[in-house]
Every structure is written in structure tokens, then in C-alpha cells.
């Protein structure tokens, strides 16, 4: 691990209150629960993980670490070594040795099962990592990435982070192991940029902010290598969003303005609508309500210029009238205009397609929060009861929903 990545594991130890010795003890205990006998990790092993001397621990320790810190290996700063760097599935255990079910572990295993199903359905292993790549190969790769993005819109990012990360490694193997011409090289880097952006959103949806930022930065780098202006605009937009989520509002505004000044934003009303919507939220959270209102109007004006006859790229299919309403609701809420935010959120829910389960749950949670904030507890309770999270894998949405339940019961 480099200095930045090794710092992640150090920070996790501090956040969870572990010393090197106590973490080794906990890893051995969890390893015993997973594999039937305790592990043999020592404080020396932990020091080697923290220092980066061991870039990818053995699966016997990696799976317990993922359980303890509730995040995938890359989000702990570990660096995969290749095809062998897959998070293992623990072997089955006798029923009489099963402990009390732990909600977090159950969630992790459900995510792993969903991820395996999606990976199999997408045929990720069919992408060649040797031989000669053609434009037809890259088109198939782009199709896989587009379908992965469609899965995100349907179920959320929590189950797809592992899938996206594994596919990133496979495409990196293809970059190093295949031969191709300059046009294929650019197309391949453009596809990798799209995949990094999708992985960044999956990490964001799973609550892994540091990993999300790294993926969005990698998306920008790949888009630059490809000379892909659309990919660059997408990456800048995501970096602005991530900065805003982390409370760096001025930086988010600067990034957003720079992205809006790009030729791609001026030529593509879909990208312009997305950027203006996010700029509105940035202005609102910075306390500039007039600028936020102007950006909301600019987003709506850009939406009116959409060419509905031309299909959008897969990553922008989510940006429809429902999403424009939902994003404007976030801006209204940040400006303190709760009734306007509630109306816009309700409109988003009415306009959302039935297959957008993730966004429907997201805006359902947002509507309940707005109703509760206005003292309408009965309506908020009814809204929460209507939210369907049965097929959803989104830690961010789950955490917000848990907070609502706590508020209502309190």
C-alpha cells in the first residue's frame, strides 16, 4: 500500500478503538467463527498490514477484517494482487455451531451472493486478458458496463462494488496483457473511465467515501488518457458531488463551475442539466439561495432541450424528469424551503419508472424525512411503511431509514 492507502487502515484502527494486539485477537476470534478454528494472527501481522508490507492479507484474515470493519478490502486500503485477490466465501458450518445471527454479517453475505449472481449474469470472465483486442471487443466491454449501471439503478450500489472492482482489475489486466491499436486503446481507456465512475457511485452508495473519491479520480485520469471529454465531464461532476457530501462546499462549487465551462456541457443538455442541478445544491448548502434558484431554473431549461429521439448513454439514463425534480428538492431542502422540497420529492416519486427501485427508495426516504421535519409524523410513518427495500442493497439508504425509524419510535 502507498502512504495514502496505509493511512486508511490506521484511521480505521483509531475509529474502532483497536490496538495492534486487540485487532489481532478479534481477527482470530472472527476467523474461528467463519472457518471453524481460530486464526493465528499476531500484532506483528497487524503492523505489516498497517505499514503496507503485506498488500493483500490471506483470505483467512481478509474476510474477518471485512466483517470487523464492515467494508470491502479496497476500502481498507489493501491492494489486490490479481485473480487470486477475491474475497473468499467462508465454508459452511454445522448448525449446532451457528451463533446468534448478526445483522451486519448477514447483510455482507447477502451482498456477496447478489454480487456473484450479477457477475455471472454479466459474464465478466469472458473479457479477454491476452491476445489482440478489437473495437468490437471494447464495444462488448462497454455493453457490460452499461448493464452493470442498470443493475445499480435497480438495486443500489452495495452489492455491485465487489463486481465493479473485480471488473476493473480484469480490464487492467487486458490493458497490460493484450495488443491493440491506438483507436482501441482510447476506446478501452474510455470504457475503464466509465467503469471507475460506476464503481465510485457503488462505493458512495455503500458508504465508503474515501474509496469513492479514489475511483472518481481514477475515472478522470482514464478519461484524460482516452481524450474523452464526456467522460471527463462525468468524472468532474462526480468529484464535485463527493466534495459536497464531505462538506467541502466551496471546492464542490469550483469543480462544478469548471465542468459547466467545458465544451461537452455546453453541447450536451443532459450533462448541463445534471451539472446545473448539482450546482444548485452546492449554492444552497453554501447559503446562496438566489444562485441556487437560478441553477434550478437552468437545470430545468437544459432538460427542456433534451433530444428525446436520441438514447442517452447508459450512465445518464437515470436523468429524467423524476431525477430533475428530486435534485431540485434537495436544493430546496438545503435552502430551508421544506414545503417546496416535499412537493418536488413527491413529484419525483410520481414520475419515477417502476424499475428504478433504488431511486424510489431514496426519494421515499427523503419524503419521509421532510414530512417528519415539518412535524407531520403520521404522514411520515405512512410514507416509511410504503418504502420497499426488499431488493435493495444501499447502505446509505439503509442508514437514513434506520435514523427515521429511531426518530419515530423515540
Amino acid at each position: 500500500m502507498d502512504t495514502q492507502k496505509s493511512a486508511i487502515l490506521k484511521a480505521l484502527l483509531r475509529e474502532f478503538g483497536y490496538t495492534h494486539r486487540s485487532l489481532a485477537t478479534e481477527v482470530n476470534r472472527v476467523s474461528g467463527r467463519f472457518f471453524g478454528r481460530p486464526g493465528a494472527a499476531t500484532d506483528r501481522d497487524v503492523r505489516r498490514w498497517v505499514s503496507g508490507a503485506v498488500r493483500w492479507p490471506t483470505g483467512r484474515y481478509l474476510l474477518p477484517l471485512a466483517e470487523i470493519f464492515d467494508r470491502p478490502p479496497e476500502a481498507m486500503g489493501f491492494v489486490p494482487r490479481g485473480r487470486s485477490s477475491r474475497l473468499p466465501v467462508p465454508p459452511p458450518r454445522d448448525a449446532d455451531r451457528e451463533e446468534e445471527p448478526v445483522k451486519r454479517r448477514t447483510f455482507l453475505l447477502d451482498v456477496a451472493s447478489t454480487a456473484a449472481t450479477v457477475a455471472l449474469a454479466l459474464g465478466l470472465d469472458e473479457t479477454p486478458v491476452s491476445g489482440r483486442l478489437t473495437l468490437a471487443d471494447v464495444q462488448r466491454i462497454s455493453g457490460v458496463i452499461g448493464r452493470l449501471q442498470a443493475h445499480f439503478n435497480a438495486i443500489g450500489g452495495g452489492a455491485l462494488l465487489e463486481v465493479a472492482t473485480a471488473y476493473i482489475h480484469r480490464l487492467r489486466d487486458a490493458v497490460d496483457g493484450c495488443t491493440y491499436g491506438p483507436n482501441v486503446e482510447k476506446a478501452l481507456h474510455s470504457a475503464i473511465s466509465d467503469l471507475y465512475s460506476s464503481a465510485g457511485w457503488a462505493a458512495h452508495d455503500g458508504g465508503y467515501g474515501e474509496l469513492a473519491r479514489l475511483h472518481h479520480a481514477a475515472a478522470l485520469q482514464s478519461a484524460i488518457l482516452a481524450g474523452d471529454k464526456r467522460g471527463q465531464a462525468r468524472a468532474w461532476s462526480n468529484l464535485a458531488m463527493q466534495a459536497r457530501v464531505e462538506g467541502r462546499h466551496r471546492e464542490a462549487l469550483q469543480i462544478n463551475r469548471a465542468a459547466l465551462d467545458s465544451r461537452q456541457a455546453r453541447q450536451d443538455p443532459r450533462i448541463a442539466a445534471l451539472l446545473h442541478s448539482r450546482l444548485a445544491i452546492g449554492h444552497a448548502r453554501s447559503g446562496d439561495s438566489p444562485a441556487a434558484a437560478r441553477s434550478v431554473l437552468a437545470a430545468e431549461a437544459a432538460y427542456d432541450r433534451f433530444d428525446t429521439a436520441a438514447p442517452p448513454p447508459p450512465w445518464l439514463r437515470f436523468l429524467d424528469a423524476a431525477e430533475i425534480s428530486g435534485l431540485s428538492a434537495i436544493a430546496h431542502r438545503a435552502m430551508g424551503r421544506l414545503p417546496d422540497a416535499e412537493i418536488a420529492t413527491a413529484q419525483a416519486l410520481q414520475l419515477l419508472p417502476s424499475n428504478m427501485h433504488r431511486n424510489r427508495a431514496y426519494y421515499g426516504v427523503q419524503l419521509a424525512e421532510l414530512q417528519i421535519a415539518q412535524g407531520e409524523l403520521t404522514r411520515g410513518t405512512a410514507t416509511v411503511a410504503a418504502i420497499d427495500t426488499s431488493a435493495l442493497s444501499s447502505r446509505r439508504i439503509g442508514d437514513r431509514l434506520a435514523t427515521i425509524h429511531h426518530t419515530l419510535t423515540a
Side-chain angles (χ1 to χ4, degrees):
M1 289 184 286
D2 57 27
T3 301
Q4 182 181 11
K5 291 188 176 181
S6 64
I8 298 175
L9 189 56
K10 291 178 185 176
L12 286 173
L13 262 72
R14 289 195 300 270
E15 178 183 347
F16 284 74
Y18 284 113
T19 64
H20 291 173
R21 179 169 298 179
S22 64
L23 179 60
T25 300
E26 182 66 4
V27 165
N28 292 335
R29 186 189 68 80
V30 176
S31 182
R33 177 153 54 83
F34 278 157
F35 299 100
R37 51 187 171 81
T42 66
D43 55 342
R44 181 175 180 272
D45 292 307
V46 177
R47 284 196 297 273
R48 287 166 60 79
W49 302 335
V50 171
S51 70
V54 174
R55 295 162 61 87
W56 190 267
T58 179
R60 184 169 176 76
Y61 298 142
L62 199 59
L63 192 65
L65 285 167
E67 154 78 2
I68 291 165
F69 293 122
D70 194 18
R71 63 201 66 204
E74 291 84 357
M76 294 183 280
F78 293 118
V79 180
R81 297 174 298 196
R83 293 185 186 86
S84 63
S85 300
R86 297 284 180 88
L87 192 63
V89 176
R93 295 166 294 165
D94 296 334
D96 61 351
R97 288 195 283 119
E98 284 287 345
E99 296 185 5
E100 180 75 12
V102 180
K103 183 177 180 181
R104 183 179 63 181
R105 177 167 63 85
T106 302
F107 172 76
L108 282 173
L109 295 180
D110 287 345
V111 165
S113 175
T114 305
T117 302
V118 172
L120 182 63
L122 293 178
L124 303 189
D125 290 341
E126 297 174 8
T127 298
V129 293
S130 61
R132 185 165 184 82
L133 280 182
T134 66
L135 281 174
D137 292 317
V138 179
Q139 287 171 355
R140 282 191 288 272
I141 290 169
S142 296
V144 168
I145 296 170
R147 293 196 297 277
L148 182 64
Q149 182 66 38
H151 280 288
F152 171 83
N153 291 336
I155 65 174
L160 303 181
L161 179 56
E162 182 183 345
V163 179
T165 302
Y167 201 39
I168 285 171
H169 299 324
R170 188 166 187 88
L171 293 189
R172 285 298 182 192
D173 288 342
V175 168
D176 292 333
C178 295
T179 58
Y180 36 77
N183 290 337
V184 173
E185 181 179 25
K186 287 188 174 183
L188 185 56
H189 281 299
S190 182
I192 291 173
S193 174
D194 279 344
L195 181 56
Y196 267 122
S197 288
S198 295
W201 266 101
H204 171 70
D205 210 43
Y208 308 119
E210 175 69 23
L211 185 60
R213 192 183 321 112
L214 292 172
H215 280 323
H216 292 319
L220 179 60
Q221 175 180 306
S222 294
I224 292 172
L225 289 174
D228 181 356
K229 300 299 184 183
R230 178 196 55 79
Q232 291 174 44
R234 180 185 183 186
W236 279 122
S237 172
N238 290 338
L239 284 167
M241 180 275 304
Q242 193 64 37
R244 190 190 76 236
V245 167
E246 294 171 359
R248 295 178 282 113
H249 300 301
R250 183 169 296 180
E251 178 183 335
L253 287 171
Q254 292 169 343
I255 295 173
N256 229 320
R257 289 193 191 101
L260 273 168
D261 285 339
S262 68
R263 184 179 66 182
Q264 196 68 27
R266 293 194 298 270
Q267 293 178 344
D268 189 332
R270 293 182 185 274
I271 292 178
L274 177 62
L275 291 171
H276 278 301
S277 294
R278 291 182 176 169
L279 186 63
I281 298 170
H283 281 310
R285 291 188 175 169
S286 298
D288 192 344
S289 295
R294 288 194 297 272
S295 292
V296 167
L297 292 175
E300 293 171 350
Y303 174 77
D304 290 339
R305 300 198 307 273
F306 280 16
D307 181 2
T308 55
W315 72 274
L316 269 177
R317 286 175 187 159
F318 75 97
L319 191 67
D320 52 14
E323 186 69 10
I324 295 294
S325 293
L327 291 172
S328 70
I330 298 173
H332 285 306
R333 181 180 185 177
M335 288 186 280
R337 300 174 180 174
L338 300 188
D340 291 338
E342 182 182 352
I343 291 171
T345 303
Q347 184 180 38
L349 285 167
Q350 290 173 353
L351 294 172
L352 271 172
S354 59
N355 63 335
M356 300 284 278
H357 303 296
R358 186 263 178 197
N359 283 13
R360 182 167 293 281
Y362 180 91
Y363 286 121
V365 168
Q366 180 167 292
L367 181 61
E369 289 172 339
L370 288 164
Q371 290 167 340
I372 292 169
Q374 296 175 86
E376 299 177 4
L377 299 186
T378 302
R379 292 181 63 206
T381 300
T383 298
V384 168
I387 297 173
D388 181 10
T389 60
S390 58
L392 199 65
S393 176
S394 171
R395 183 171 154 187
R396 287 179 65 234
I397 295 174
D399 287 348
R400 288 173 65 179
L401 194 55
T403 300
I404 291 174
H405 283 301
H406 177 74
T407 301
L408 290 173
T409 55

